[in-house]
Amino acid sequence: MAPGYSMSKKQLQDRLRRAEGQIRGLQRMIDADTYCIDVLTQLNSVTAALRAVGIGLLDDHVRHCVRESVEAGDGEDSVEELMAAVARFSGR
Amino acid sequence: MAPGYSMSKKQLQDRLRRAEGQIRGLQRMIDADTYCIDVLTQLNSVTAALRAVGIGLLDDHVRHCVRESVEAGDGEDSVEELMAAVARFSGR
Amino acid sequence: MAPGYSMSKKQLQDRLRRAEGQIRGLQRMIDADTYCIDVLTQLNSVTAALRAVGIGLLDDHVRHCVRESVEAGDGEDSVEELMAAVARFSGR
Amino acid sequence: MAPGYSMSKKQLQDRLRRAEGQIRGLQRMIDADTYCIDVLTQLNSVTAALRAVGIGLLDDHVRHCVRESVEAGDGEDSVEELMAAVARFSGR
C-alpha cells in the first residue's frame, strides 16, 4: 500500500486536472463579479491542492532519486538539490 | 494609474488563464516522466502566480468592500472578515 | 469583547515572551543533540506563535491606522502600505 | 566545506540566539508603541531566521538520519517521517 504522502502518477494527474477545473471556475467567478472573499476561498483551495501535489512529487523524489544516489554512494549532490527544492517549495 | 498590488479584472483573468495553461503543462511533464525537481520548479511558478492573484483580490477587497464599510461607519464586520481571509491566505 | 484576531498589547507581549522562552528551549535541545524531527516540531510551534502575533498586529493596524486614514479621506497610501505588508507577511 | 543549506551546531545556536534577541527587540517595540508596520517588518525578519534554522535542521536530518536508514536498507519509515516534517514545515 502506498504510504501517506506518496501519489501514483494517476493520482498526481487527477489532482492536477481538478486544479485546472478549479482555475476555470475562478475565471467564471471573476466574470460574474463574485464577492472577493468567496473567490479567495476557492483560490486557497486550489493552492492547497497544488501543495499536496508538491509534497507528492518531493516524496517520490526522495523515495527514488535521492535513495538511489545514496545507495550508489553519491548522495551528496542529490541531498543538496533536494534541500534547495524544499527551501523553494516552503517559499523561503 | 493602478497602484502596486491592484489588478484589473482583465489582469486577474490573464494570470488565471496562464496558470491554467501551466497546470496543463504540468500534466504533460508528468506524462513524459520529467525529472521531479523540474516539475516542482514549474509547480512553484504556478503557486506564485496564484498568490499574486490572491494579493490582487485582497487589494481589491480592501479598496472597495472594506473601505465602503468603514466610510458607512460599520467597518467592524468587514475588518473581521478581512483578517480571517488574510489568516487563511497566509496559510495559518 | 475583543474580536477573533485582535490582541491586546498584553496578549502580544505574553505571546512574544513565550516564543522567547521556546527559542531558549530550542537552544537547549540542540545542545542536547535532540532528534532533529523533535527540534523541528518545536520550531514549527514557535513560528506558528509568531504568525499569530503577526495577524494580531495586522488586525490592529487595519482597525486603527487604515480605518483612520479611510475616515480622513486619504486611505490610498495606507491601503497600499497594508497590501505590501500582507504580501511580505504571506512570504511572497 | 559545508554545502549550501547545512549549518553547524554553532551556526544553529548563533541564529537562535540572534532570533531570541530580535524577539526581545519586538517586545520593546510594542512597549514603545512602534508603528505596526515596522514591528511586522522586524517580525518577518525573525520568522525568516527561524525558517533558515528549519532548513538547516532538515538538511542535517536528511544527510545523517535518512541517509543512514537508506544505507541500512530500511529507509521506508525515515522517508515517511521526513515527508511529514517537510509537509508541516511548509505549513500545509
Side-chain angles (χ1 to χ4, degrees):
Chain A
M1 210 195 71
Y5 295 94
S6 286
M7 286 191 200
S8 67
K9 213 162 144 170
K10 191 187 169 312
Q11 284 173 307
L12 289 171
Q13 296 286 30
D14 286 350
R15 295 256 189 161
L16 287 173
R17 222 174 340 257
R18 202 162 57 209
E20 193 196 326
Q22 286 178 305
I23 290 186
R24 274 195 299 271
L26 282 167
Q27 294 171 55
R28 283 190 299 272
M29 288 173 99
I30 286 171
D31 264 338
D33 288 316
T34 307
Y35 186 54
C36 307
I37 298 292
D38 295 334
V39 185
L40 259 176
T41 300
Q42 172 80 348
L43 185 85
N44 285 336
S45 148
V46 185
T47 50
L50 292 177
R51 282 159 170 178
V53 169
I55 295 284
L57 288 167
L58 276 172
D59 181 282
D60 190 58
H61 183 63
V62 173
R63 265 170 223 286
H64 300 108
C65 312
V66 177
R67 184 177 226 167
E68 280 162 29
S69 301
V70 170
E71 284 168 355
D74 54 285
E76 192 63 28
D77 284 0
S78 76
V79 170
E80 189 67 14
E81 190 188 45
L82 169 69
M83 291 319 301
V86 169
R88 282 195 308 271
F89 180 68
S90 313
R92 277 118 229 209
Chain B
M1 210 196 70
Y5 295 93
S6 285
M7 285 191 199
S8 68
K9 212 162 146 171
K10 190 188 170 312
Q11 284 174 308
L12 289 171
Q13 295 288 28
D14 286 350
R15 295 257 189 161
L16 287 173
R17 222 176 340 258
R18 201 162 57 209
E20 192 195 326
Q22 286 178 306
I23 290 186
R24 274 195 298 272
L26 282 168
Q27 293 171 54
R28 282 191 298 273
M29 289 173 99
I30 286 172
D31 264 338
D33 288 316
T34 307
Y35 186 55
C36 308
I37 298 292
D38 296 333
V39 185
L40 260 176
T41 300
Q42 172 81 348
L43 185 84
N44 285 336
S45 148
V46 184
T47 50
L50 293 176
R51 281 161 169 177
V53 169
I55 294 285
L57 289 167
L58 276 172
D59 182 282
D60 190 59
H61 183 64
V62 173
R63 265 171 223 287
H64 300 108
C65 312
V66 177
R67 185 176 226 166
E68 279 161 31
S69 302
V70 170
E71 284 168 354
D74 53 286
E76 192 62 28
D77 284 0
S78 78
V79 170
E80 190 67 14
E81 189 188 46
L82 170 68
M83 292 319 301
V86 168
R88 282 195 308 270
F89 180 69
S90 312
R92 278 118 228 209
Chain C
M1 208 196 71
Y5 295 93
S6 286
M7 286 192 200
S8 67
K9 213 162 145 171
K10 189 187 170 314
Q11 282 173 309
L12 290 171
Q13 295 287 30
D14 285 349
R15 295 256 189 162
L16 287 173
R17 222 174 340 258
R18 201 162 58 210
E20 193 196 326
Q22 285 178 307
I23 291 187
R24 274 195 298 271
L26 283 167
Q27 294 173 53
R28 283 190 299 271
M29 288 173 99
I30 286 172
D31 264 338
D33 288 316
T34 307
Y35 187 56
C36 307
I37 298 293
D38 296 333
V39 185
L40 259 175
T41 300
Q42 172 81 346
L43 186 85
N44 285 336
S45 148
V46 185
T47 50
L50 292 177
R51 282 161 168 175
V53 169
I55 294 285
L57 288 167
L58 277 171
D59 181 282
D60 190 59
H61 183 64
V62 174
R63 265 171 223 285
H64 300 109
C65 312
V66 178
R67 185 176 226 167
E68 280 161 30
S69 301
V70 170
E71 284 168 355
D74 54 286
E76 192 63 28
D77 285 0
S78 77
V79 170
E80 190 67 14
E81 190 188 45
L82 170 68
M83 292 319 300
V86 168
R88 282 195 309 270
F89 180 69
S90 314
R92 279 117 227 209
Chain D
M1 210 197 69
Y5 295 94
S6 286
M7 286 192 200
S8 66
K9 212 161 145 171
K10 190 187 169 313
Q11 284 174 307
L12 290 170
Q13 296 287 30
D14 286 350
R15 294 258 189 161
L16 287 173
R17 220 171 345 254
R18 202 162 58 210
E20 193 196 326
Q22 286 178 306
I23 291 186
R24 273 195 298 270
L26 283 167
Q27 294 172 52
R28 282 190 299 272
M29 290 173 98
I30 286 171
D31 264 338
D33 289 316
T34 308
Y35 187 54
C36 307
I37 297 293
D38 296 332
V39 185
L40 259 176
T41 300
Q42 172 81 346
L43 186 84
N44 285 336
S45 149
V46 184
T47 50
L50 293 177
R51 282 160 169 177
V53 169
I55 293 286
L57 289 167
L58 277 172
D59 182 282
D60 190 59
H61 184 64
V62 174
R63 265 171 223 287
H64 299 109
C65 312
V66 178
R67 185 177 225 165
E68 280 161 31
S69 301
V70 170
E71 283 168 356
D74 54 285
E76 192 62 28
D77 285 359
S78 77
V79 170
E80 190 67 13
E81 189 187 46
L82 170 69
M83 292 319 301
V86 168
R88 281 195 309 269
F89 180 69
S90 313
R92 278 117 226 209

